[in-house]
Amino acid sequence: MKLKLAVAGAALLALSACATLPPEPLRGEYTKITPADAQSKDYTGATTVWGGVIAKTTPMQGQTCFEVVSTPLDSQLRPRELREESAGRFMACRAGFYDPAVFAMNREVTFVGRVNGYSDQKIGDYTYRYPKMDAQTIYLWGKRDRYATPPYGSPYGYYGSWGWGLGYGWPWW
């Protein structure tokens, strides 16, 4: 019996080691709404977490505002990569100066803050209703590593039933 409990405890410990948690500044309880939800219903005052890729950073007197193309967040609250569709756009503002060279276009960012109304602004000739957030936390994510994969298998070969062989894609194959 004790052995079974020890094995079960070890298995749970091993599984918990695989669990991913958000970075410390992003942890907490939030209202689960998206910027698209906030466009259709008034969530003013709700504390939430939104993220995406930066479309524009605008420093102003006393604060910096970010226009963000929203994407769904993963289990660490990191924005997922932008595909063909966005989950809407939002504006997030925070007191202080945030350098547009660092908070540049297409950088991934996550915000924690309160929904604070709406702002109608133009995207080209289209008037878009942005949900606005008073950001309490801004978390700028590091750039993702991009790896190229060979089109015809591994360049390092493979191990078949007759031993090591050459993978497809080698210049002499």
Side-chain angles (χ1 to χ4, degrees):
M1 181 67 172
K2 288 183 182 181
L3 179 61
K4 287 182 182 179
L5 286 175
V7 170
L12 283 174
L13 183 63
L15 286 174
S16 68
C18 296
T20 56
L21 292 174
E24 186 65 37
L26 299 178
R27 293 183 192 162
E29 295 293 321
Y30 310 110
T31 305
K32 294 188 187 293
I33 56 173
T34 66
D37 295 336
Q39 279 185 317
S40 59
K41 187 176 175 187
D42 187 14
Y43 284 98
T44 301
T47 300
T48 190
V49 58
W50 289 340
V53 293
I54 297 173
K56 186 163 98 177
T57 301
T58 308
M60 295 183 264
Q61 191 62 36
Q63 72 175 353
T64 302
C65 289
F66 304 89
E67 180 182 332
V68 181
V69 179
S70 179
T71 63
L73 303 176
D74 65 16
S75 62
Q76 290 184 309
L77 300 179
R78 182 177 186 149
R80 295 188 184 178
E81 290 192 62
L82 184 61
R83 302 285 185 208
E84 286 123 25
E85 284 188 31
S86 77
R89 291 183 177 222
F90 67 93
M91 298 287 290
C93 298
R94 178 156 168 95
F97 174 76
Y98 291 87
D99 195 335
V102 175
F103 290 84
M105 183 180 214
N106 293 326
R107 289 292 305 270
E108 294 175 325
V109 65
T110 302
F111 297 92
V112 175
R114 285 189 195 280
V115 178
N116 184 25
Y118 305 90
S119 173
D120 292 329
Q121 295 188 16
K122 293 269 191 184
I123 301 175
D125 289 334
Y126 184 79
T127 301
Y128 191 85
R129 184 177 191 216
Y130 287 88
K132 288 182 69 177
M133 172 189 276
D134 284 336
Q136 299 159 349
T137 303
I138 300 174
Y139 195 90
L140 185 66
W141 294 91
K143 293 181 180 178
R144 292 182 190 262
D145 292 328
R146 305 283 183 213
Y147 298 103
T149 56
Y152 301 109
S154 171
Y156 302 110
Y158 63 93
Y159 187 79
S161 60
W162 295 352
W164 285 99
L166 296 175
Y168 295 110
W170 282 89
W172 57 82
W173 185 255

